[in-house]
Structures are given as C-alpha cells and as structure tokens.
Amino acid sequence: MKIFSTSISALEKGIQYSGMKHKAISQNIANVDTPNYKRKEVSPNFGQIYQDAIHAKKTDSRHHDFTGTSKQAFTINNTSHSYSHNGNNVDIDKEMSDLAENQIYYYTMIDQLSGKFQSLQNVIKGGKG
C-alpha cells in the first residue's frame, strides 16, 4: 500500500537533485583559484528525467521501466576546457548565478512538498482547521 502519492516521491527526487547541484556548485566556488581544478556539474538531463517521471505511463511491455535509482540521474561531470591561465575553468559569475537559480528551485520544491503534507494533515484532521 502506498501512503504517499507519486508526486511526493518526485518532489523528493527534485530536492535530492538540488542538494547534489548545490554541493557541486559549492565545490566549484571553493576552488575558484585552485590551479588545474575542473568545474563539476550535475547532469543537466535530470530536469527532463524528473518531468518524464511525473507524466510517464508504461504503454507497452517492451518499454523500459520508469523507476530507477537516484544515482542514474545524479551524475557529476567534469568539464575539460580551461578559462584561466592556471588551468582552472571556474567562472565565478556563472557559479553564483547557478547557485541563485538552484536556491529558487530548492525552495520551490520545499514549498510544494510542504503543501502536500499540509493537505494530508488537513485530511487526517477531517477537514477541520
């Protein structure tokens, strides 16, 4: 028996993704002046995987299952090109922009998850505030 809807599971994966992205961005910022450091990024295809998981329906037995582990979606890639004379390829402006964008994404996921739990709490209380 599933207690929570699939949307709660999808929101959980979104929050996990945001946490991984925050960690990668933080490492990039911390190593902005480290010689030969190559920036890390979380696989950009996760957003599509997340959207597909929300709307996915298996219509044929030959299709792949839509379930998977979070490790499949949360790959961290090193980029190889360099922007600096010391071999470092971290652009601090891009990292700060990515950090702000990720923070908005995180708070959006948390807000949606909080709304789901508030709805559940309302149902448990019988609709009485």
Side-chain angles (χ1 to χ4, degrees), residues 29-55:
I29 292 170
N31 289 291
V32 69
D33 293 324
T34 304
N36 298 316
Y37 177 82
K38 302 301 180 202
R39 73 180 296 271
K40 296 178 183 175
E41 61 184 16
V42 178
S43 177
N45 65 348
F46 178 80
Q48 186 61 45
I49 292 169
Y50 171 72
Q51 290 299 323
D52 291 346
I54 292 174
H55 304 297

Side-chain angles (χ1 to χ4, degrees), residues 92-108:
I92 191 67
D93 293 328
K94 179 177 181 351
E95 298 304 324
M96 295 304 287
S97 174
D98 289 349
L99 186 64
E101 180 182 331
N102 188 54
Q103 184 176 13
I104 292 168
Y105 178 82
Y106 174 81
Y107 284 123
T108 301

